[in-house]
Amino acid sequence: QVQLVESGGGLVQAGGSLRLSCAASGRIFSSNKMAWYRQAPGKQRELVARIFSGGITNYAYSVKDRFTISRDNAKNTVYLKMNNLKPEDTAVYYCNTDPPLRLGPADYWGPGTQVTVSS
């Protein structure tokens, strides 16, 4: 069964921190690059961080040095620690493989978790 479930979002003041978690079914997780994406209102979904199965990471310029992606292969879980949050980080955050999972004619996405940063 294919499943991605994100959690850990919330409302936080600018400068605050949050830690997002994503539980993935084993079939998705084991040998794939995993990534966190976000979609702000009226904007396209964007990739913010990726992690290879061996632990190498990449970040979008806008979050570099503030966000940290990690994975626990034993738990099939990927995390995103977000520090020094800014109002422009407000978005729904999703985890997925990189590139995103394809199921039939469309990409598969979990429900996401809302992050709202107040100024």
Side-chain angles (χ1 to χ4, degrees):
Q1 183 180 358
V2 174
Q3 192 171 30
L4 293 164
V5 180
E6 302 90 349
S7 61
L11 173 63
V12 64
Q13 287 188 330
S17 299
L18 284 172
R19 187 194 193 212
L20 307 183
S21 299
C22 172
S25 54
R27 188 168 76 86
I28 298 173
F29 194 87
S30 59
S31 60
N32 278 294
K33 287 182 292 182
M34 296 297 298
W36 283 95
Y37 303 77
R38 69 185 180 188
Q39 186 167 23
K43 294 188 176 181
Q44 286 192 330
R45 191 159 10 212
E46 61 173 346
L47 188 150
V48 296
R50 68 165 63 88
I51 184 165
F52 291 75
S53 57
I56 293 173
T57 58
N58 301 129
Y59 298 93
Y61 180 80
S62 59
V63 307
K64 191 172 174 59
D65 298 326
R66 298 189 298 121
F67 290 11
T68 302
I69 187 171
S70 60
R71 64 192 291 163
D72 186 332
N73 291 335
K75 295 182 178 179
N76 294 341
T77 301
V78 61
Y79 305 98
L80 186 68
K81 181 67 188 302
M82 306 184 294
N83 295 326
N84 190 22
L85 282 160
K86 303 176 180 181
E88 51 264 42
D89 295 319
T90 295
V92 180
Y93 284 71
Y94 304 87
C95 72
N96 210 322
T97 56
D98 175 30
L101 283 170
R102 193 79 176 174
L103 293 181
D107 292 340
Y108 168 82
W109 293 94
T113 186
Q114 175 71 48
V115 172
T116 303
V117 184
S118 62
S119 57

